[in-house]
């Protein structure tokens, strides 16, 4: 593994793993404690629509997926705020619509030669420099927003009614969280793919929740665990020449099972 680090693509993969681990650790913690994992899943799969449109128009895929995912997040936020009792139906519809739009536009693209598997299941060793810059900027934005609005996010995560009584705009921060989640999902697509991205958002956080007593500590532990899983999965992928996204998630699942078996409640 160490000799492979002399190659630029492996250096990019290592840097991407570090950056995305920070993002999923912070946003994954907020997603889990707010119980909106299914919403994040809907946004992740809907973003395929942006990938298909970007391929059809010949624009950068990352840009297309980002714009589509953010718009989807805002639509989902509006619809679920208006009718929370139908949240599951709304997410299911958006999920299917995004995937359908992506598939149709890819089919309409003449002579495309894009490796769509890397978007579905991830390929961290194929992360380009532009994606790393995107991840770096995203981390700066996430850290700045969460630090500045930490008390507000904490309030809406555990007691929305109390947050409203304190004058916090719950709907705004709910929407902001979904937008940040959509940006994180897009950044993680090249690492583990949109099929597996929810696992990377939730497994490290689920484990961190067993040991952390505070949301801030959960974010830190979740980021560290995500980094361990990503680096270990990258090593397994390189060693056995298998899919990096699947390797990362399987390492995380094995760790989850082992910790659950040996940790006393």
């Amino acid at each position: 593994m160490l000799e492979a680090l002399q190659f630029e693509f492996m250096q990019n993969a290592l840097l991407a793993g570090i950056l995305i681990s920070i993002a999923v650790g912070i946003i994954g913690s907020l997603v889990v404690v707010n119980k909106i994992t299914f919403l994040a899943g809907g946004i992740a799969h809907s973003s395929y629509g942006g990938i298909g449109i970007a391929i059809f128009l010949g624009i950068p895929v990352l840009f297309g997926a980002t714009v589509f995912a953010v718009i989807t997040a805002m639509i989902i936020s509006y619809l679920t705020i208006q009718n929370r009792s139908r949240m599951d139906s709304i997410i299911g519809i958006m999920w299917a619509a995004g995937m359908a739009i992506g598939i149709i536009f890819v089919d309409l693209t003449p002579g495309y030669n894009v490796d769509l598997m890397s978007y579905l299941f991830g390929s961290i060793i194929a992360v380009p420099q532009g994606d790393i810059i995107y991840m770096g900027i995203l981390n700066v934005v996430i850290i700045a927003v969460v630090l500045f609005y930490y008390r507000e996010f904490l309030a809406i995560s555990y007691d929305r009614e109390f947050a409203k009584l304190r004058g916090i705009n719950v709907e705004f921060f709910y929407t902001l969280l979904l937008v940040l989640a959509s940006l994180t999902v897009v950044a993680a697509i090249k690492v583990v793919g949109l099929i597996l991205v929810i696992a990377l958002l939730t497994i490290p956080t689920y484990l961190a929740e067993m040991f952390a007593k505070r949301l801030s500590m959960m974010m830190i532990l979740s980021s560290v665990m995500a980094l361990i899983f990503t680096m270990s999965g990258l090593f397994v992928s390189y060693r056995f020449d298998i899919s990096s996204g699947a390797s990362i998630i399987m390492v995380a699942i094995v760790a989850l099972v082992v910790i659950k078996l040996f940790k006393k409640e």
Side-chain angles (χ1 to χ4, degrees):
M1 180 68 175
L2 291 177
E3 69 272 11
L5 292 178
Q6 64 182 303
F7 300 112
E8 184 180 0
F9 73 90
M10 286 301 292
Q11 295 171 5
N12 287 345
L14 183 65
L15 187 54
I18 294 171
L19 292 173
I20 200 61
S21 295
I22 296 171
V24 300
I26 296 172
I27 298 302
S29 297
L30 290 171
V31 165
V32 169
V33 298
N34 278 276
K35 297 180 176 62
I36 56 171
T37 302
F38 189 46
L39 272 72
I43 294 170
H45 287 76
S46 297
S47 65
Y48 192 73
I51 293 173
I53 292 172
I55 292 172
F56 179 77
L57 296 178
I59 61 177
V61 170
L62 186 64
F63 175 76
T66 298
V67 172
F68 199 89
V70 169
I71 292 174
T72 300
M74 296 180 74
I75 292 173
I76 288 176
S77 173
Y78 174 78
L79 293 177
T80 53
I81 287 172
Q82 296 299 313
N83 192 355
R84 294 190 67 86
S85 63
R86 295 294 182 183
M87 182 183 295
D88 56 343
S89 300
I90 292 169
I91 302 307
I93 292 169
M94 297 297 293
W95 184 316
M99 293 291 290
I101 289 170
I103 292 170
I104 289 171
F105 273 96
V106 168
D107 287 344
L108 291 175
T109 304
Y112 74 92
N113 58 356
V114 179
D115 181 15
L116 293 177
M117 292 295 287
S118 67
Y119 295 106
L120 292 174
F121 299 101
S123 180
I124 192 173
I125 59 175
V127 174
Q129 194 70 34
D131 286 18
I132 292 176
I133 294 172
Y134 175 94
M135 292 176 191
I137 295 173
L138 174 64
N139 276 342
V140 172
V141 171
I142 287 174
I143 292 171
V145 170
V146 172
L147 282 176
F148 192 78
Y149 292 118
Y150 179 76
R151 291 183 181 276
E152 286 80 0
F153 279 124
L154 184 64
I156 69 166
S157 297
Y158 293 103
D159 194 335
R160 292 193 178 188
E161 293 303 320
F162 178 67
K164 284 185 177 182
L165 291 175
R166 290 184 56 191
I168 295 173
N169 189 336
V170 174
E171 288 76 15
F172 168 77
F173 286 104
Y174 172 72
T175 304
L176 179 59
L177 175 55
L178 288 184
V179 169
L180 291 176
S182 70
L183 295 175
T184 304
V185 161
V186 171
I189 282 176
K190 285 294 286 184
V191 177
V192 294
L194 62 88
I195 301 295
L196 303 172
V197 67
I198 296 305
L200 188 62
L201 271 173
T202 55
I203 294 176
T205 299
Y206 179 71
L207 290 172
E209 198 173 20
M210 298 180 189
F211 303 97
K213 301 298 183 183
R214 300 191 307 275
L215 179 60
S216 57
M217 184 55 64
M218 188 189 306
M219 291 177 177
I220 295 171
L221 283 178
S222 182
S223 295
V224 171
M225 289 182 179
L227 179 58
I228 293 172
F229 299 153
T230 302
M231 294 299 100
S232 300
L234 179 59
F235 171 77
V236 171
S237 172
Y238 176 79
R239 177 67 178 80
F240 297 100
D241 191 24
I242 56 179
S243 172
S244 57
S247 299
I248 291 168
I249 299 307
M250 279 309 303
V251 167
I253 291 173
V254 169
L256 172 63
V257 172
V258 171
I259 292 175
K260 287 293 289 184
L261 286 175
F262 287 95
K263 184 181 183 299
K264 295 180 179 179
E265 297 295 339

